[in-house]
Amino acid sequence: MSTSTTPARTDKAGTRLTLPIAGLAFVIALAVQLIGQAKIDVGIGAIVIFPMVWGLILGLLVSVQKFKPLGLDLQRVAAALVGVAVLLLVARLAFNIGPSLPTLLKAGPALLLQEVGHLLGTIALALPLAVLLRMGKATVGATFSLDREPSFAMVSEKYGPDSDQYRGVLAMYVFGTLFGAVYITLLTSLISNWRIFDPLALAMGAGVGSGSMMAASSASIIAAYPGDQEAILGMAAISNLITTILGVYVGIYLALPLADRFYRVLTRRQTREEAAVPAGAPAQRADTELRGTGTGEGGTDAAREAAREAAQVEENRRFRERVAASSAAMHLPLWLSLSVLTVLGIGTASIAAKGFSLTIVAGYAIMLALVLVSIALAKLTKKISAIVYITTIGAYISSPWFFGAAALNGPIKSVDFLSIATVMLTLAGLSLGKDIPLLKNIGWKIIPVGLLAVTASFLLSTVIAEFALGLWH
């Protein structure tokens, strides 16, 4: 197709693009909030499906339907709104950290130790499976972490953006985007209802480094342990923040080198077998030359191998460009994003509370103020992200050590955190249609590897936290 027929990509959006997607999200989010949650018995336990999961699924169906296709720019607007919704979710969770600080401080050693599960669990279990499935060098990129955005730079710098390792990162990123929140909801719901783990250990396991996955996982834990909601949310938020911050340094200096070394150890036999073919080529070539046939076969084999490598590099480059086009950022005015999310949030929170209340509006006003102050501080310092400021300031002003904590905590608690997660995942669903075509590029092997990676990160972290807390029953 001629490039002249390709429409220019829009990187900025105003009300014309934002309001239609906001209207869709409003209808879907309110509908699924009214539907409520469903509990399904599966023999070995029970799985709770929350409104946010229904919102994600319905949003996805709307984004992929062909009757009235949802344009790429609209889907990118939805993705941009998700990024701002994460800040509001973190702001809401920060107000659970402050009241739970005594509990969090007691769990300090466990919080740090369980990070071993998050940061290395994927290598321990998912990497061997990827080797068994012969994913090649993409194994390293796909299994050294759960591969959210910070992983791109780590692997690109070490191996190059057109490498097989970088393709592995992209494949796991696409898998996590499409399936991560839904799968961890089902996994956590099942394990929580076994009631063999302490809820605080489960909450630590929920902090896998992804805001949407953490929210989905926390909801399942709270459904099993409703009396511990505040402590669960506080613990999950702190664990997620620690995983996000430590993940960069551990990824660069430990996880990625360890994954590379482990991969080499597990594939030594394959490497020797592959090396044996070129090693025998001269003898075969000499033998055929003596018979007067096959002259130059060694060179032909080398040329074929070089051509295969070049084709793979080119395919990796195309895949990278498709992912980049799919995930390209859309810039929205901050006032517009926050206005839309506030309307959506108040609507869903009112349904969750079974009635509109000015207290909910006050809760959103407090969260908006916290988000705006944190964004301003992040821009001022340029070294610390807004999420860190939101978490730190929110935890302090909601703690017993702040004189106005009681006045702030009341309105905030009227805002059900699940209602914010419902809005966030509904918007995420509306943004996923653009990612569906990437499924044919990542191959089926990433599905079992991805499922095991998420399971390993959550379960190994939970087990370590359980023993570290000394609460094994």
Side-chain angles (χ1 to χ4, degrees), residues 60-99:
L60 173 61
L61 292 176
V62 170
S63 68
V64 299
Q65 52 80 31
K66 302 299 182 184
F67 177 72
K68 190 171 179 60
L70 201 61
L72 177 61
D73 286 340
L74 290 174
Q75 294 182 47
R76 291 173 60 216
V77 167
L81 287 170
V82 170
V84 183
V86 169
L87 298 181
L88 283 173
L89 180 67
V90 172
R92 174 62 184 85
L93 293 175
F95 280 84
N96 286 97
I97 296 175

Side-chain angles (χ1 to χ4, degrees), residues 26-347:
F26 187 77
V27 171
I28 295 173
L30 263 60
V32 298
Q33 197 72 41
L34 286 169
I35 293 171
Q37 65 186 45
K39 189 172 184 178
I40 304 172
D41 290 321
V42 292
I44 58 174
I47 293 174
V48 180
I49 302 178
F50 297 92
M52 60 183 170
V53 176
W54 298 129
L56 179 67
I57 294 172
L58 283 178
L60 173 61
L61 292 176
V62 170
S63 68
V64 299
Q65 52 80 31
K66 302 299 182 184
F67 177 72
K68 190 171 179 60
L70 201 61
L72 177 61
D73 286 340
L74 290 174
Q75 294 182 47
R76 291 173 60 216
V77 167
L81 287 170
V82 170
V84 183
V86 169
L87 298 181
L88 283 173
L89 180 67
V90 172
R92 174 62 184 85
L93 293 175
F95 280 84
N96 286 97
I97 296 175
S100 303
L101 277 176
T103 303
L104 297 177
L105 291 174
K106 289 180 183 177
L111 263 172
L112 295 176
L113 284 173
Q114 59 86 29
E115 286 302 320
V116 175
H118 284 314
L119 300 172
L120 301 179
T122 56
I123 297 175
L125 296 177
L127 191 148
L129 176 62
V131 170
L132 186 65
L133 294 175
R134 293 184 176 271
M135 280 183 61
K137 294 178 182 178
T139 294
V140 176
T143 60
F144 86 99
S145 78
L146 287 185
D147 291 335
R148 304 322 292 161
E149 288 81 354
S151 302
F152 293 170
M154 300 181 209
V155 177
S156 178
E157 183 178 353
K158 185 175 178 65
Y159 299 103
D162 296 327
S163 63
D164 287 337
Q165 290 87 343
Y166 194 77
R167 182 185 180 88
V169 171
L170 295 177
M172 184 61 82
Y173 175 80
V174 172
F175 168 85
T177 300
L178 292 173
F179 306 113
V182 173
Y183 175 67
I184 202 166
T185 299
L186 303 179
L187 173 70
T188 312
S189 183
L190 182 64
I191 293 175
S192 298
N193 281 289
W194 288 347
R195 296 187 176 275
I196 61 174
F197 293 111
D198 185 270
L200 295 184
L202 291 165
M204 292 184 207
V208 295
S210 163
S212 59
M213 293 172 69
M214 182 269 292
S217 185
S218 299
S220 298
I221 301 168
I222 291 169
Y225 300 94
D228 298 306
Q229 174 172 330
E230 193 166 87
I232 289 169
L233 291 177
M235 191 72 77
I238 285 291
S239 176
N240 202 63
L241 182 63
I242 293 173
T243 302
T244 301
I245 295 174
L246 289 183
V248 175
Y249 301 101
V250 173
I252 293 172
Y253 298 111
L254 180 60
L256 188 55
L258 180 61
D260 188 87
R261 180 66 61 87
F262 193 25
Y263 171 76
R264 292 176 186 274
V265 169
L266 293 179
T267 58
R268 278 182 303 182
R269 183 174 178 181
Q270 294 177 18
T271 305
R272 283 198 300 266
E273 289 174 353
E274 291 170 359
V277 176
Q284 294 173 359
R285 184 163 62 252
D287 183 58
T288 54
E289 286 174 353
L290 285 173
R291 294 198 303 267
T293 61
T295 302
E297 283 182 9
T300 302
D301 290 342
R304 285 200 202 97
E305 182 63 27
R308 278 196 296 269
E309 290 180 0
Q312 185 61 57
V313 168
E314 177 63 17
E315 176 59 27
N316 291 344
R317 182 189 65 79
R318 291 177 181 174
F319 180 43
R320 172 172 56 84
E321 291 176 350
R322 284 191 286 268
V323 174
S326 174
S327 58
M330 178 73 82
H331 301 286
L332 277 66
L334 185 60
W335 69 266
L336 181 58
S337 300
L338 291 176
S339 299
V340 165
L341 291 169
T342 299
V343 172
L344 292 173
I346 291 175

